[in-house]
Amino acid sequence: MRHLLLIALLAVLCTACNQTIDIDPETGFEIHTIRAGAHNSITRSEPFNEIGISVTVKFDNSAIYTLENENDQADINKLIGFSDCAAHHQRESARFGWRWFEDELQILAYVYRDGDFIFEKMGAIPLDTEVEMEIRALNGQYLFSGEGLDNVALERSASCDTGENYWLWPYFGGNQPAPHDITIQLKRQPILQ
């Protein structure tokens, strides 16, 4: 019996690691939904070995939220990005962050470098509007840019090893889970070396 429970648990875990991404056939957008009470939109391992990403993002009204603990409202949710330096993403990574704060949808440059996280606000974007953004790893920096947003350069780790990296998916939190279902539409493409 114990063996059967272990096999069932492994099957569930393997299925979660290979989740598919829903794609809107009319627009080509990937649809990422973070369910109420959850943090992750998807748990999926997908390799990433390029110098950056180009994304088009569209948020709807589901991105508007108020957290019970108002001190957490400024926490940064994660939009999309990649691990770097063949390290765990909480050691080395670059991604866009987002939050509903001060009555606007703010976009932030968000980096883990040598295990420390650094962020800088890039600006705010309107709901129900497609916005193009890029992250490039170039000359010891991550270069963040986007339509209607400030360009931001954040330092990349000097001890960067080459090797396998991976995509990072939409994630809600901080320490609180999504208060309701949140849907994010993305088109993503790696920037080739």
Side-chain angles (χ1 to χ4, degrees), residues 137-151:
L138 190 63
N139 300 327
Q141 294 183 317
Y142 298 109
L143 305 175
F144 292 81
S145 61
E147 286 180 273
L149 299 168
D150 294 338
N151 294 336

Side-chain angles (χ1 to χ4, degrees), residues 48-179:
F48 180 86
N49 290 307
E50 307 304 339
I51 65 163
I53 60 172
S54 174
V55 298
T56 303
V57 63
K58 185 176 178 183
F59 287 91
D60 62 20
N61 287 342
S62 68
I64 300 171
Y65 61 89
T66 302
L67 297 175
E68 286 183 27
N69 183 345
E70 63 186 46
N71 294 329
D72 291 337
Q73 193 71 34
D75 286 359
I76 302 169
N77 307 304
K78 289 66 172 184
L79 178 57
I80 193 84
F82 53 92
S83 69
D84 198 15
C85 305
H88 186 273
H89 64 272
Q90 288 183 324
R91 179 99 190 129
E92 306 289 345
S93 62
R95 56 186 149 182
F96 287 106
W98 71 276
R99 62 187 175 193
W100 185 261
F101 188 62
E102 299 175 337
D103 292 322
E104 61 185 7
L105 196 141
Q106 298 180 353
I107 300 294
L108 303 98
Y110 186 96
V111 166
Y112 268 98
R113 183 181 67 232
D114 296 321
D116 295 321
F117 78 91
I118 301 120
F119 62 91
E120 188 172 325
K121 182 181 166 187
M122 298 175 67
I125 62 172
L127 298 175
D128 297 312
T129 303
E130 294 180 20
V131 177
E132 294 182 17
M133 303 185 299
E134 284 188 354
I135 306 171
R136 291 179 184 263
L138 190 63
N139 300 327
Q141 294 183 317
Y142 298 109
L143 305 175
F144 292 81
S145 61
E147 286 180 273
L149 299 168
D150 294 338
N151 294 336
V152 171
L154 296 176
E155 188 178 337
R156 190 177 182 204
S157 177
S159 60
C160 206
D161 292 326
T162 59
E164 190 75 16
N165 297 308
Y166 50 91
W167 283 92
L168 299 171
W169 309 109
Y171 181 92
F172 192 92
N175 56 352
Q176 289 194 46

